[in-house]
Coordinates of all heavy atoms in Angstrom, one line a residue:
M150 N -11.6 -26.8 14.0 CA -11.2 -25.4 13.8 C -12.5 -24.6 13.9 O -13.5 -25.0 13.3 CB -10.5 -25.2 12.5 CG -9.9 -23.9 12.4 SD -8.9 -23.5 10.9 CE -8.5 -25.0 10.1
H151 N -12.5 -23.5 14.6 CA -13.6 -22.7 14.8 C -13.9 -21.9 13.5 O -13.0 -21.6 12.7 CB -13.3 -21.7 16.0 CG -14.6 -21.0 16.5 ND1 -15.0 -19.8 16.1 CD2 -15.4 -21.4 17.5 CE1 -16.1 -19.5 16.7 NE2 -16.4 -20.5 17.6
W152 N -15.2 -21.5 13.3 CA -15.5 -20.8 12.1 C -14.8 -19.5 11.9 O -14.5 -19.0 10.8 CB -17.1 -20.6 12.0 CG -17.7 -19.7 13.0 CD1 -18.1 -20.0 14.2 CD2 -17.9 -18.3 12.9 NE1 -18.6 -18.9 14.9 CE2 -18.4 -17.8 14.1 CE3 -17.6 -17.4 11.8 CZ2 -18.8 -16.5 14.3 CZ3 -18.0 -16.1 12.1 CH2 -18.5 -15.6 13.3
T153 N -14.5 -18.8 13.0 CA -13.7 -17.6 12.9 C -12.3 -17.8 12.3 O -11.8 -16.9 11.7 CB -13.7 -16.9 14.3 OG1 -13.0 -17.7 15.2 CG2 -15.0 -16.4 14.8
D154 N -11.7 -18.9 12.6 CA -10.4 -19.2 12.0 C -10.6 -19.4 10.5 O -9.7 -18.9 9.8 CB -9.9 -20.5 12.6 CG -9.4 -20.4 14.1 OD1 -9.0 -19.3 14.4 OD2 -9.5 -21.4 14.8
W155 N -11.7 -20.0 10.1 CA -11.9 -20.1 8.6 C -12.0 -18.7 7.9 O -11.4 -18.5 6.9 CB -13.1 -20.9 8.3 CG -12.9 -22.4 8.6 CD1 -13.4 -23.1 9.6 CD2 -12.1 -23.3 7.8 NE1 -12.9 -24.4 9.5 CE2 -12.2 -24.6 8.4 CE3 -11.4 -23.2 6.6 CZ2 -11.5 -25.7 7.9 CZ3 -10.7 -24.3 6.1 CH2 -10.8 -25.5 6.7
I156 N -12.7 -17.8 8.6 CA -12.8 -16.5 8.1 C -11.4 -15.8 8.0 O -11.0 -15.2 7.0 CB -13.7 -15.6 8.9 CG1 -15.2 -16.1 8.7 CG2 -13.6 -14.1 8.5 CD1 -16.2 -15.4 9.6
G157 N -10.6 -16.0 9.0 CA -9.2 -15.5 9.1 C -8.4 -16.1 8.0 O -7.6 -15.3 7.3
Y158 N -8.4 -17.4 7.8 CA -7.6 -18.0 6.8 C -8.1 -17.6 5.4 O -7.2 -17.4 4.5 CB -7.7 -19.5 6.9 CG -6.7 -20.1 7.9 CD1 -7.2 -20.7 9.1 CD2 -5.4 -20.0 7.7 CE1 -6.4 -21.2 10.0 CE2 -4.5 -20.5 8.7 CZ -5.0 -21.1 9.8 OH -4.1 -21.6 10.8
L159 N -9.4 -17.4 5.2 CA -9.9 -16.9 3.9 C -9.4 -15.5 3.6 O -8.9 -15.2 2.5 CB -11.4 -17.0 3.8 CG -12.0 -16.5 2.5 CD1 -11.5 -17.3 1.3 CD2 -13.5 -16.6 2.6
A160 N -9.5 -14.6 4.6 CA -9.0 -13.3 4.4 C -7.5 -13.2 4.2 O -7.1 -12.5 3.3 CB -9.4 -12.5 5.7
A161 N -6.8 -14.0 4.9 CA -5.3 -14.1 4.7 C -5.0 -14.6 3.4 O -4.1 -14.1 2.7 CB -4.7 -15.0 5.8
T162 N -5.7 -15.6 2.9 CA -5.4 -16.1 1.5 C -5.7 -15.1 0.5 O -4.8 -14.9 -0.4 CB -6.3 -17.4 1.3 OG1 -5.9 -18.4 2.3 CG2 -6.0 -18.0 -0.1
L163 N -6.8 -14.4 0.5 CA -7.2 -13.5 -0.5 C -6.2 -12.3 -0.5 O -5.8 -11.8 -1.6 CB -8.6 -13.0 -0.3 CG -9.7 -14.0 -0.5 CD1 -11.1 -13.5 -0.1 CD2 -9.7 -14.4 -2.0
T164 N -5.9 -11.7 0.7 CA -5.0 -10.6 0.7 C -3.6 -10.9 0.3 O -2.9 -10.2 -0.4 CB -5.0 -9.9 2.1 OG1 -4.7 -10.8 3.1 CG2 -6.4 -9.3 2.4
T165 N -3.1 -12.1 0.7 CA -1.8 -12.5 0.3 C -1.7 -12.8 -1.2 O -0.8 -12.4 -1.9 CB -1.3 -13.7 1.2 OG1 -1.3 -13.3 2.5 CG2 0.1 -14.1 0.8
C166 N -2.7 -13.5 -1.7 CA -2.7 -13.9 -3.1 C -2.8 -12.6 -4.0 O -2.3 -12.6 -5.1 CB -3.8 -14.9 -3.4 SG -3.5 -16.5 -2.8
S167 N -3.5 -11.6 -3.5 CA -3.6 -10.4 -4.3 C -2.3 -9.7 -4.4 O -2.1 -8.9 -5.4 CB -4.7 -9.4 -3.7 OG -4.2 -8.9 -2.5
F168 N -1.4 -10.0 -3.6 CA 0.0 -9.3 -3.6 C 0.9 -10.1 -4.6 O 1.8 -9.5 -5.1 CB 0.5 -9.4 -2.2 CG 1.7 -8.6 -2.0 CD1 1.6 -7.2 -1.8 CD2 3.0 -9.1 -2.0 CE1 2.7 -6.4 -1.6 CE2 4.1 -8.4 -1.8 CZ 4.0 -7.0 -1.6
V169 N 0.6 -11.3 -4.9 CA 1.5 -12.2 -5.7 C 1.7 -11.6 -7.1 O 2.9 -11.6 -7.6 CB 1.0 -13.6 -5.7 CG1 1.8 -14.5 -6.7 CG2 1.2 -14.2 -4.3
P170 N 0.7 -11.2 -7.8 CA 0.9 -10.7 -9.2 C 1.9 -9.6 -9.3 O 2.8 -9.5 -10.1 CB -0.4 -10.3 -9.7 CG -1.4 -11.1 -8.9 CD -0.8 -11.2 -7.5
Q171 N 1.9 -8.6 -8.3 CA 2.8 -7.5 -8.3 C 4.2 -8.0 -8.0 O 5.2 -7.6 -8.6 CB 2.4 -6.5 -7.3 CG 3.4 -5.3 -7.2 CD 3.4 -4.5 -8.5 OE1 2.4 -4.1 -8.9 NE2 4.6 -4.3 -9.0
A172 N 4.3 -9.0 -7.1 CA 5.6 -9.5 -6.8 C 6.2 -10.3 -8.0 O 7.4 -10.1 -8.3 CB 5.5 -10.5 -5.6
L173 N 5.4 -11.1 -8.6 CA 5.9 -11.8 -9.8 C 6.3 -10.9 -10.9 O 7.4 -11.1 -11.5 CB 4.8 -12.8 -10.3 CG 4.6 -14.0 -9.4 CD1 3.4 -14.8 -10.0 CD2 5.8 -14.9 -9.3
H174 N 5.5 -9.9 -11.2 CA 5.9 -8.9 -12.2 C 7.2 -8.2 -11.9 O 8.1 -8.0 -12.7 CB 4.8 -7.8 -12.3 CG 5.1 -6.7 -13.2 ND1 5.1 -6.8 -14.6 CD2 5.5 -5.4 -13.0 CE1 5.5 -5.7 -15.2 NE2 5.7 -4.8 -14.2
T175 N 7.4 -7.8 -10.6 CA 8.7 -7.2 -10.2 C 9.8 -8.1 -10.3 O 10.9 -7.7 -10.8 CB 8.5 -6.6 -8.8 OG1 7.4 -5.8 -8.7 CG2 9.8 -5.9 -8.3
F176 N 9.7 -9.4 -9.9 CA 10.8 -10.4 -10.0 C 11.2 -10.6 -11.5 O 12.3 -10.7 -11.8 CB 10.4 -11.7 -9.4 CG 10.1 -11.6 -7.9 CD1 9.2 -12.5 -7.4 CD2 10.7 -10.7 -7.1 CE1 8.9 -12.5 -6.0 CE2 10.4 -10.6 -5.7 CZ 9.5 -11.6 -5.2
R177 N 10.1 -10.7 -12.4 CA 10.4 -11.0 -13.8 C 11.1 -9.8 -14.5 O 12.0 -10.0 -15.3 CB 9.1 -11.3 -14.5 CG 8.6 -12.7 -14.1 CD 7.4 -13.1 -14.9 NE 6.8 -14.3 -14.5 CZ 5.5 -14.5 -14.2 NH1 4.7 -13.5 -14.4 NH2 5.1 -15.7 -13.8
T178 N 10.6 -8.6 -14.3 CA 11.0 -7.4 -15.0 C 12.1 -6.7 -14.4 O 12.9 -5.9 -15.0 CB 9.9 -6.5 -15.3 OG1 9.4 -5.9 -14.0 CG2 8.7 -7.2 -16.0
R179 N 12.3 -6.8 -13.1 CA 13.2 -6.0 -12.2 C 12.9 -4.5 -12.4 O 13.8 -3.7 -12.1 CB 14.6 -6.3 -12.6 CG 15.0 -7.8 -12.3 CD 16.5 -8.0 -12.3 NE 16.9 -9.4 -12.4 CZ 16.8 -10.2 -11.4 NH1 16.3 -9.8 -10.2 NH2 17.2 -11.5 -11.5
D180 N 11.7 -4.2 -12.8 CA 11.3 -2.8 -13.0 C 10.7 -2.3 -11.7 O 9.6 -2.7 -11.3 CB 10.3 -2.7 -14.1 CG 9.8 -1.2 -14.4 OD1 10.4 -0.3 -13.8 OD2 8.9 -1.1 -15.1
V181 N 11.4 -1.5 -11.0 CA 11.0 -0.9 -9.7 C 10.7 0.6 -9.7 O 10.6 1.2 -8.7 CB 12.0 -1.3 -8.6 CG1 12.0 -2.8 -8.4 CG2 13.4 -0.8 -8.9
R182 N 10.7 1.1 -10.9 CA 10.5 2.6 -11.1 C 9.2 3.1 -10.4 O 9.2 4.1 -9.9 CB 10.6 3.0 -12.5 CG 12.0 2.9 -13.1 CD 12.0 3.2 -14.6 NE 11.2 2.1 -15.2 CZ 10.7 2.2 -16.4 NH1 10.7 3.3 -17.1 NH2 10.1 1.1 -16.9
G183 N 8.2 2.3 -10.5 CA 6.9 2.7 -10.0 C 6.7 2.4 -8.6 O 5.6 2.6 -8.0
I184 N 7.7 1.9 -7.9 CA 7.6 1.5 -6.5 C 8.2 2.6 -5.6 O 9.4 2.9 -5.8 CB 8.2 0.1 -6.2 CG1 7.4 -0.9 -7.0 CG2 8.3 -0.2 -4.8 CD1 8.1 -2.3 -7.0
S185 N 7.5 3.0 -4.6 CA 8.0 4.0 -3.7 C 8.8 3.3 -2.6 O 8.3 2.4 -1.9 CB 6.8 4.8 -3.0 OG 7.2 5.4 -1.9
L186 N 10.1 3.7 -2.5 CA 10.9 3.2 -1.4 C 10.4 3.4 0.0 O 10.3 2.5 0.8 CB 12.3 3.7 -1.5 CG 13.3 3.3 -0.5 CD1 13.5 1.7 -0.6 CD2 14.7 4.0 -0.7
G187 N 9.9 4.6 0.2 CA 9.4 4.9 1.6 C 8.1 4.1 1.9 O 8.0 3.6 3.0
M188 N 7.2 4.0 0.9 CA 6.0 3.2 1.1 C 6.3 1.7 1.4 O 5.8 1.1 2.3 CB 5.1 3.3 -0.1 CG 3.8 2.5 0.0 SD 4.1 0.9 -0.6 CE 2.5 0.1 -0.4
Y189 N 7.2 1.1 0.5 CA 7.5 -0.3 0.7 C 8.3 -0.5 2.0 O 8.2 -1.6 2.6 CB 8.3 -0.8 -0.5 CG 7.4 -1.7 -1.3 CD1 6.5 -1.2 -2.2 CD2 7.4 -3.1 -1.1 CE1 5.6 -2.1 -2.9 CE2 6.5 -3.9 -1.7 CZ 5.7 -3.4 -2.7 OH 4.8 -4.3 -3.3
A190 N 9.2 0.4 2.4 CA 9.9 0.2 3.7 C 8.9 0.2 4.8 O 8.9 -0.7 5.7 CB 10.9 1.3 3.8
A191 N 8.0 1.2 4.8 CA 6.9 1.2 5.9 C 6.0 0.0 5.8 O 5.7 -0.6 6.9 CB 6.1 2.5 5.8
F192 N 5.6 -0.4 4.6 CA 4.8 -1.5 4.5 C 5.5 -2.8 5.0 O 4.9 -3.6 5.8 CB 4.4 -1.7 3.0 CG 3.6 -2.9 2.7 CD1 2.2 -2.9 3.0 CD2 4.1 -4.1 2.1 CE1 1.4 -4.0 2.7 CE2 3.3 -5.2 1.9 CZ 2.0 -5.1 2.2
T193 N 6.7 -3.0 4.7 CA 7.5 -4.2 5.1 C 7.6 -4.2 6.7 O 7.4 -5.2 7.3 CB 8.8 -4.2 4.4 OG1 8.6 -4.2 3.0 CG2 9.6 -5.5 4.8
V194 N 7.9 -3.1 7.3 CA 8.0 -3.0 8.7 C 6.6 -3.3 9.3 O 6.5 -4.0 10.3 CB 8.6 -1.6 9.2 CG1 8.5 -1.5 10.7 CG2 10.0 -1.5 8.7
G195 N 5.6 -2.7 8.8 CA 4.2 -3.0 9.2 C 3.9 -4.4 9.2 O 3.3 -5.0 10.1
I196 N 4.2 -5.1 8.1 CA 3.9 -6.5 8.0 C 4.7 -7.3 9.0 O 4.2 -8.3 9.6 CB 4.2 -7.0 6.5 CG1 3.2 -6.4 5.5 CG2 4.2 -8.5 6.4 CD1 1.8 -6.8 5.8
A197 N 6.0 -6.9 9.2 CA 6.8 -7.6 10.2 C 6.1 -7.5 11.6 O 6.1 -8.5 12.4 CB 8.2 -7.1 10.2
L198 N 5.6 -6.3 11.9 CA 4.9 -6.1 13.2 C 3.6 -6.9 13.3 O 3.3 -7.4 14.4 CB 4.7 -4.6 13.4 CG 5.9 -3.8 13.6 CD1 5.6 -2.3 13.7 CD2 6.7 -4.2 14.9
W199 N 2.9 -7.0 12.2 CA 1.7 -7.8 12.2 C 2.1 -9.3 12.4 O 1.3 -10.0 13.1 CB 0.9 -7.7 10.9 CG 0.0 -6.6 10.8 CD1 0.0 -5.5 10.0 CD2 -1.2 -6.4 11.6 NE1 -1.0 -4.7 10.2 CE2 -1.8 -5.2 11.2 CE3 -1.9 -7.2 12.5 CZ2 -3.0 -4.8 11.7 CZ3 -3.1 -6.8 13.1 CH2 -3.6 -5.6 12.7
L200 N 3.2 -9.7 11.9 CA 3.6 -11.1 12.1 C 4.0 -11.3 13.6 O 3.5 -12.3 14.2 CB 4.9 -11.4 11.2 CG 5.5 -12.7 11.4 CD1 4.5 -13.9 11.1 CD2 6.7 -12.9 10.5
V201 N 4.7 -10.4 14.2 CA 5.0 -10.5 15.6 C 3.7 -10.5 16.4 O 3.6 -11.3 17.4 CB 6.0 -9.4 16.1 CG1 6.1 -9.3 17.6 CG2 7.3 -9.5 15.4
Y202 N 2.8 -9.6 16.1 CA 1.5 -9.6 16.8 C 0.8 -10.9 16.7 O 0.3 -11.4 17.7 CB 0.7 -8.4 16.2 CG -0.7 -8.2 16.8 CD1 -0.8 -7.8 18.1 CD2 -1.8 -8.5 16.0 CE1 -2.1 -7.6 18.6 CE2 -3.1 -8.3 16.6 CZ -3.2 -7.8 17.9 OH -4.5 -7.6 18.4
G203 N 0.7 -11.5 15.5 CA 0.1 -12.8 15.3 C 0.7 -13.9 16.1 O 0.1 -14.7 16.7
L204 N 2.1 -13.8 16.2 CA 2.8 -14.8 16.9 C 2.5 -14.7 18.4 O 2.3 -15.7 19.1 CB 4.3 -14.7 16.7 CG 4.8 -15.2 15.3 CD1 6.2 -14.7 15.1 CD2 4.7 -16.7 15.2
L205 N 2.5 -13.5 18.9 CA 2.2 -13.2 20.3 C 0.8 -13.7 20.7 O 0.6 -14.2 21.8 CB 2.4 -11.8 20.7 CG 3.8 -11.3 20.6 CD1 3.9 -9.7 20.8 CD2 4.7 -11.9 21.7
L206 N -0.2 -13.5 19.8 CA -1.5 -13.9 20.1 C -1.8 -15.4 19.7 O -2.9 -15.9 20.0 CB -2.5 -13.1 19.3 CG -2.6 -11.6 19.7 CD1 -3.6 -10.9 18.8 CD2 -3.0 -11.5 21.1
Q207 N -0.8 -16.0 19.0 CA -1.0 -17.3 18.5 C -2.2 -17.4 17.5 O -2.9 -18.3 17.5 CB -1.1 -18.4 19.6 CG 0.1 -18.5 20.4 CD 0.1 -19.6 21.5 OE1 -1.0 -20.2 21.7 NE2 1.2 -19.8 22.1
A208 N -2.3 -16.3 16.7 CA -3.3 -16.2 15.7 C -2.8 -16.7 14.4 O -2.2 -15.9 13.6 CB -3.8 -14.8 15.6
W209 N -2.9 -18.0 14.1 CA -2.2 -18.6 13.0 C -2.6 -18.1 11.6 O -1.8 -18.0 10.8 CB -2.3 -20.1 13.1 CG -1.9 -20.6 14.5 CD1 -2.5 -21.2 15.5 CD2 -0.6 -20.3 15.1 NE1 -1.8 -21.4 16.6 CE2 -0.6 -20.8 16.4 CE3 0.6 -19.6 14.7 CZ2 0.5 -20.7 17.2 CZ3 1.7 -19.5 15.5 CH2 1.6 -20.1 16.8
P210 N -3.9 -17.7 11.4 CA -4.1 -17.0 10.1 C -3.3 -15.8 9.9 O -2.8 -15.5 8.8 CB -5.6 -16.7 10.2 CG -6.2 -17.7 11.1 CD -5.1 -17.9 12.2
L211 N -3.1 -15.0 10.9 CA -2.3 -13.8 10.8 C -0.8 -14.1 10.6 O -0.1 -13.5 9.8 CB -2.4 -12.9 12.1 CG -3.6 -12.0 12.3 CD1 -3.5 -11.4 13.7 CD2 -3.6 -11.0 11.3
V212 N -0.4 -15.1 11.3 CA 1.0 -15.6 11.2 C 1.3 -16.1 9.7 O 2.2 -15.7 9.1 CB 1.4 -16.7 12.2 CG1 2.7 -17.3 11.9 CG2 1.3 -16.1 13.6
A213 N 0.4 -16.9 9.2 CA 0.6 -17.5 7.9 C 0.6 -16.4 6.8 O 1.5 -16.4 6.0 CB -0.5 -18.6 7.6
A214 N -0.4 -15.6 6.9 CA -0.5 -14.5 5.8 C 0.7 -13.6 5.9 O 1.3 -13.2 4.9 CB -1.8 -13.8 6.0
N215 N 1.0 -13.1 7.1 CA 2.1 -12.1 7.2 C 3.5 -12.7 7.0 O 4.3 -12.0 6.5 CB 1.9 -11.4 8.5 CG 0.7 -10.5 8.5 OD1 0.7 -9.6 7.6 ND2 -0.2 -10.7 9.4
A216 N 3.7 -14.0 7.2 CA 5.0 -14.6 6.9 C 5.2 -14.6 5.4 O 6.3 -14.2 4.9 CB 5.0 -16.0 7.5
V217 N 4.2 -15.0 4.7 CA 4.3 -15.1 3.2 C 4.4 -13.6 2.6 O 5.3 -13.4 1.8 CB 3.1 -15.8 2.6 CG1 3.1 -15.7 1.1 CG2 3.1 -17.3 3.0
T218 N 3.6 -12.7 3.1 CA 3.6 -11.4 2.6 C 4.9 -10.7 3.0 O 5.5 -9.9 2.1 CB 2.4 -10.6 3.1 OG1 1.2 -11.2 2.8 CG2 2.4 -9.2 2.5
L219 N 5.5 -11.0 4.1 CA 6.7 -10.4 4.5 C 7.9 -10.9 3.6 O 8.7 -10.1 3.2 CB 7.1 -10.7 6.0 CG 8.4 -10.1 6.5 CD1 8.4 -8.6 6.5 CD2 8.6 -10.6 8.0
A220 N 7.9 -12.1 3.3 CA 8.9 -12.6 2.4 C 8.8 -11.9 1.0 O 9.8 -11.5 0.4 CB 8.7 -14.1 2.2
L221 N 7.6 -11.8 0.5 CA 7.4 -11.1 -0.8 C 7.8 -9.7 -0.8 O 8.5 -9.1 -1.6 CB 6.0 -11.3 -1.3 CG 5.5 -12.7 -1.6 CD1 4.0 -12.8 -1.9 CD2 6.3 -13.3 -2.8
A222 N 7.3 -9.0 0.2 CA 7.5 -7.5 0.4 C 9.0 -7.3 0.6 O 9.6 -6.3 0.1 CB 6.7 -6.9 1.5
G223 N 9.6 -8.1 1.4 CA 11.1 -8.0 1.7 C 11.9 -8.1 0.4 O 12.8 -7.4 0.2
A224 N 11.5 -9.1 -0.4 CA 12.2 -9.3 -1.7 C 12.0 -8.1 -2.6 O 13.0 -7.7 -3.2 CB 11.7 -10.6 -2.3
I225 N 10.8 -7.6 -2.7 CA 10.6 -6.4 -3.5 C 11.3 -5.2 -3.0 O 11.9 -4.5 -3.7 CB 9.1 -6.1 -3.7 CG1 8.4 -7.3 -4.5 CG2 8.8 -4.8 -4.3 CD1 6.9 -7.2 -4.5
L226 N 11.3 -5.0 -1.7 CA 12.1 -3.9 -1.1 C 13.6 -4.1 -1.4 O 14.2 -3.1 -1.7 CB 11.8 -3.9 0.4 CG 12.6 -2.8 1.2 CD1 12.1 -1.4 0.7 CD2 12.3 -2.9 2.7
A227 N 14.1 -5.3 -1.3 CA 15.5 -5.5 -1.6 C 15.8 -5.1 -3.1 O 16.8 -4.5 -3.4 CB 15.9 -6.9 -1.3
M228 N 14.9 -5.5 -4.0 CA 15.1 -5.2 -5.4 C 15.0 -3.7 -5.6 O 15.7 -3.2 -6.4 CB 14.0 -5.9 -6.2 CG 14.3 -7.4 -6.3 SD 13.0 -8.3 -7.3 CE 13.4 -7.7 -8.9
K229 N 14.1 -3.0 -4.9 CA 14.0 -1.6 -5.0 C 15.3 -0.9 -4.6 O 15.8 0.0 -5.2 CB 12.8 -1.0 -4.2 CG 12.7 0.5 -4.2 CD 12.4 1.0 -5.6 CE 12.2 2.5 -5.6 NZ 12.1 3.1 -6.9
I230 N 15.8 -1.4 -3.5 CA 17.1 -0.8 -3.0 C 18.2 -1.1 -4.0 O 19.1 -0.2 -4.3 CB 17.4 -1.4 -1.6 CG1 16.4 -0.8 -0.6 CG2 18.9 -1.0 -1.2 CD1 16.4 -1.5 0.8
R231 N 18.3 -2.3 -4.6 CA 19.3 -2.7 -5.5 C 19.2 -2.1 -6.9 O 20.2 -1.6 -7.4 CB 19.4 -4.2 -5.6 CG 20.5 -4.7 -6.5 CD 20.6 -6.2 -6.5 NE 21.7 -6.5 -7.4 CZ 22.0 -7.7 -7.8 NH1 21.2 -8.7 -7.4 NH2 23.0 -8.0 -8.6
Y232 N 18.0 -2.1 -7.4 CA 17.8 -1.7 -8.8 C 17.2 -0.3 -8.9 O 17.1 0.3 -10.0 CB 16.9 -2.6 -9.6 CG 17.5 -4.0 -9.6 CD1 16.8 -5.1 -9.0 CD2 18.7 -4.3 -10.3 CE1 17.4 -6.4 -9.1 CE2 19.2 -5.6 -10.4 CZ 18.5 -6.6 -9.7 OH 19.1 -7.9 -9.8
G233 N 16.7 0.3 -7.8 CA 16.0 1.5 -7.9 C 16.8 2.7 -7.8 O 16.5 3.8 -8.1

């Protein structure tokens, strides 16, 4: 693996892991009052587009990070729609 891939995987890991505490808090408490529906909708669509972009480029660090983040963001968005 090329060193640039390692940088991509490290960046993907850090940014995706930084999202996990918010997702866990939201799953546990179901408290979505502080979450903006518009922001999370735009964020989720943006992450989906980053995932497609990564797939088209076969940029696996982008694909891995955005697949996980899309799952988390999508779940939070669904909770916001349901409980918000």
Side-chain angles (χ1 to χ4, degrees):
M150 191 174 345
H151 197 267
W152 67 271
T153 56
D154 289 329
W155 286 106
I156 291 172
Y158 279 113
L159 180 58
T162 300
L163 291 172
T164 56
T165 300
C166 287
S167 71
F168 193 79
V169 171
Q171 180 65 52
L173 290 176
H174 175 75
T175 304
F176 297 152
R177 287 184 186 132
T178 65
R179 300 194 192 285
D180 180 9
V181 293
R182 289 174 292 161
I184 295 174
S185 164
L186 178 60
M188 178 272 180
Y189 251 84
F192 178 75
T193 303
V194 171
I196 292 298
L198 292 172
W199 274 114
L200 176 59
V201 170
Y202 180 68
L204 287 167
L205 292 171
L206 293 178
Q207 297 182 349
W209 306 121
L211 280 176
V212 171
N215 288 300
V217 172
T218 304
L219 181 59
L221 294 170
I225 291 172
L226 180 60
M228 289 180 68
K229 176 63 179 176
I230 292 168
R231 182 172 180 193
Y232 299 115

